[in-house]
Amino acid sequence: MLDRIERLNPALNAYIELTAERARASARAAEQEMSRRVFRGPLHGVPVAVKDLFFMRGAHARAGSLLYRDFRPEFDATSVERLEAAGAVILGRAHMHELAFGVTNVNPHYGDCRNPWNTRCVPGGSSGGSAAAVAAGLAFAALGTDTGGSIRIPASFCGVTGLKPTYGRISRHGVMPLAWQLDHVGTFGRSAEDSAIAAQAIAGGDPMDASCLAAPAPLWMEQIDARPPQSWKIGVVGPPLVSRIHPDVSAAMAQAARVFEDAGLGVGETSIPDSIEAGELAHLQ
């Protein structure tokens, strides 16, 4: 995987920094445990990427900015600790939009991250490096954060699955904040199952994060193939929030709605009142 990153990352800039020695040590430890028939779970020995907002002891945590270019935290974020406890091999720091405040991953300080499907295009942001790394096969899963779309946007741009879980399901301890009331830690995978595997490994209460829910997280892996309750109603959002969209996007939304209809769920149009005004208010200081 490190060889693949060496070949492809110069064109994609999905990683801002590799933690190769730490990765090799984790891989050797996983190999030795497996040789003794010790298995930690589905992430054991799996290479993953971590957004540059997450603390990793000894590695830079630049947040895509020159403000933190020399910052090296002295401890790991809870989610990083839990990844490694699950046996994951962390390859490095995924690139991001500066300070997580943007959706393009165009970065004047460390270069722009590129979309693996078309390097003339952006990967979305702010967790663009995480999505690009997973899409390009430079990691099997990745951590990201989402405040106003920073997982969901790059997931859609890069064609991978991004999970923004319920607020408080995953600890934010050791994650550089954008907005405490809205920040979520989530995961990327090349499928819903992969994203769920990564999220399951890091979810759960954390006394170091007062906003983290104490209740155990749902068993997402057990629910991945379950059919949704027939009582669910699926709303397809229209104007004013969804307007002036490209025909390809409109067609993709209609196709997604048909998937729910085929599953036997009720699908209907809905609207979100004052959605445009709410977006404008969100940026007031």
Side-chain angles (χ1 to χ4, degrees):
M1 186 67 77
L2 290 171
D3 289 343
R4 182 175 175 84
I5 293 170
E6 184 176 356
R7 292 198 314 272
L8 299 182
N9 197 61
L12 299 178
N13 205 18
Y15 284 93
I16 194 171
E17 179 181 343
L18 292 180
T19 52
E21 289 308 309
R22 182 168 176 163
R24 291 188 180 99
S26 295
R28 284 192 292 267
E31 182 181 43
Q32 291 168 1
E33 289 177 334
M34 291 178 189
S35 69
R36 302 194 304 270
R37 305 186 67 81
V38 175
F39 299 102
R40 300 195 190 192
L43 275 184
H44 200 179
V46 175
V48 301
V50 171
K51 185 179 181 178
D52 198 35
L53 279 183
F54 291 76
F55 286 13
M56 286 178 61
R57 185 188 301 107
H60 287 98
R62 297 185 177 98
S65 175
L66 293 182
L67 291 172
Y68 301 106
R69 60 186 170 189
D70 298 320
F71 176 51
R72 293 176 183 264
E74 297 179 355
F75 63 92
D76 292 334
T78 296
S79 48
V80 169
E81 285 184 346
R82 291 177 177 177
L83 272 183
E84 293 193 318
V89 176
I90 299 176
L91 297 171
R93 319 283 296 161
H95 204 355
M96 58 178 286
H97 199 105
E98 185 175 7
L99 298 176
F101 198 67
V103 298
T104 64
N105 229 120
V106 171
N107 190 302
H109 311 304
Y110 303 106
D112 301 341
C113 183
R114 304 290 181 176
N115 192 307
W117 299 101
N118 185 342
T119 55
R120 294 174 297 173
C121 298
V122 300
S126 64
S127 307
S130 296
V134 172
L138 306 184
F140 289 104
L143 295 189
T145 59
D146 192 313
T147 304
S150 288
I151 287 174
R152 293 161 291 164
I153 292 168
S156 68
F157 280 27
C158 293
V160 297
T161 299
L163 173 63
K164 176 195 175 190
T166 298
Y167 184 83
R169 284 295 185 201
I170 298 176
S171 172
R172 298 176 303 177
H173 174 62
V175 182
M176 301 170 79
L178 176 57
W180 285 113
Q181 303 94 329
L182 298 172
D183 291 347
H184 295 63
V185 169
T187 57
F188 292 90
R190 299 193 76 174
S191 66
E193 184 176 16
D194 286 356
S195 191
I197 287 172
Q200 197 75 66
I202 62 175
D206 179 13
M208 300 300 291
D209 179 359
S211 68
C212 199
L213 298 172
L219 298 177
W220 289 307
M221 285 306 301
E222 294 184 5
Q223 301 172 5
I224 201 78
D225 293 321
R227 294 184 65 83
Q230 296 300 303
S231 60
W232 280 15
K233 304 295 182 184
I234 307 299
V236 180
V237 179
L241 183 61
V242 178
S243 59
R244 296 185 299 164
I245 60 175
H246 192 281
D248 290 350
V249 177
S250 180
M253 290 179 63
Q255 182 181 7
R258 286 194 293 272
V259 171
F260 289 116
E261 289 179 325
D262 293 343
L265 304 181
V267 178
E269 291 189 1
T270 187
S271 64
I272 303 177
D274 303 321
S275 54
I276 302 300
E277 292 80 0
E280 294 172 350
L281 287 171
H283 293 89
L284 294 179
Q285 298 294 326

